[in-house]
Amino acid sequence: MTGTTVHLAVYDTFADWEPGFATAHLTQHGHTVRTVGPTSAPVTTMGGLRVVPDLALDGLRPEDSALLVLTGASLWDTGDTLAPFARTARAFLDAGVPVAAVCGATAGLAREGLLDDRTHTSAVSFYLAATGYAGGPHYTEADAVTDPGGPGTGALITAGPTEPVAFAREILGLLGVYGPEKLDAWFRLFHDSDASAYEVLQG
C-alpha cells in the first residue's frame, strides 16, 4: 500500500468538487484513494452527498500514504473542529510525506503554522492574513503552488477554491502520473478545453 495510496480527508461541509479531477485521474493511473474522516461515521459534503469514510483520522499513519489531500469546508472558518486534520498535515510533512491543501484548508494550515516558511497560495492573500499567520511574505499569486520542502520534509501543494484543475495538475505532477509534456497537455485539455492536447495525451 505504501506509495500508491492517497488519503482524501472528508468532513462535514467539505467542498466535494475540489478534489475530483485529482482523485479521478489518480485512480485511473494505479493509485488507490481512501477517505479519512474525523471518525468512521458518515459525513455530508457541501453538495449534500453522504460519504462513509474508509478510516478514522486516528488510524491514519504517514508511512501508509503517498499523499494527504485536504479540501475546503465551511468548518475551517467556523472554529477548531478541523484542527486535528491540520495537525495531521504537520505529522505528514515532518515524516517526509506530501500534503495538498485547497481553499479553506490552506487557512487551517496557516493557523497551524505550516505556511510560515513555505511558498504557498490560496483564494486571496488577505484571506490567509486574517488568520494572523506569519507567512505573508511567502504568499504567491498563482493558480496552484508546490513547495518542495527541505531535507526530510514533505512537499506542500496549495491552491485556491477556483482552481481544482490546477490543484490536480500539481498533484499528478508530484506523484509522477504524467511527465511534463503530458501534464501540460492534460492541463490544457481540462482547463482550457484545448482539443489539440488530447492527441498529446494519447501519444
Side-chain angles (χ1 to χ4, degrees):
M1 183 167 64
T2 300
T4 62
T5 299
V6 171
H7 289 92
L8 170 66
V10 295
Y11 22 72
D12 285 331
T13 75
F14 93 83
D16 39 19
W17 65 91
E18 291 175 344
F21 284 96
T23 55
H25 288 272
L26 287 169
T27 300
Q28 292 172 27
H29 290 84
H31 289 270
T32 299
V33 177
R34 299 192 72 199
T35 52
V36 184
T39 68
S40 58
V43 300
T44 302
T45 75
M46 198 175 290
L49 303 180
R50 184 175 181 269
V51 177
V52 180
D54 293 314
L55 73 160
L57 185 61
D58 62 8
L60 177 62
R61 304 184 307 166
E63 58 264 34
D64 294 331
S65 187
L67 175 72
L68 173 63
V69 180
L70 302 173
T71 70
S74 300
L75 289 178
W76 283 113
D77 297 318
T78 57
D80 296 329
T81 302
L82 300 184
F85 285 93
R87 291 194 291 270
T88 298
R90 177 180 292 280
F92 266 61
L93 294 173
D94 288 347
V97 182
V99 172
V102 60
C103 190
T106 61
L109 299 192
R111 295 186 188 97
E112 182 65 20
L114 295 176
L115 304 184
D116 288 352
D117 301 308
R118 288 175 175 262
T119 302
H120 61 277
T121 194
S122 184
V124 287
S125 60
F126 57 81
Y127 171 62
L128 292 186
T131 68
Y133 85 133
H138 301 287
Y139 187 89
T140 301
E141 295 288 352
D143 54 12
V145 172
T146 297
D147 183 286
T153 62
L156 177 61
I157 294 169
T158 51
T162 61
E163 299 293 347
V165 180
F167 185 55
R169 177 196 64 206
E170 299 301 300
I171 290 171
L172 299 176
L174 182 69
L175 296 184
V177 172
Y178 295 119
E181 183 180 7
K182 285 195 173 182
L183 186 63
D184 175 70
W186 182 90
F187 182 73
R188 288 189 287 110
L189 178 64
F190 287 97
H191 187 267
D192 303 328
S193 299
D194 181 353
S196 68
Y198 182 78
E199 294 182 6
V200 178
L201 282 173
Q202 297 302 305

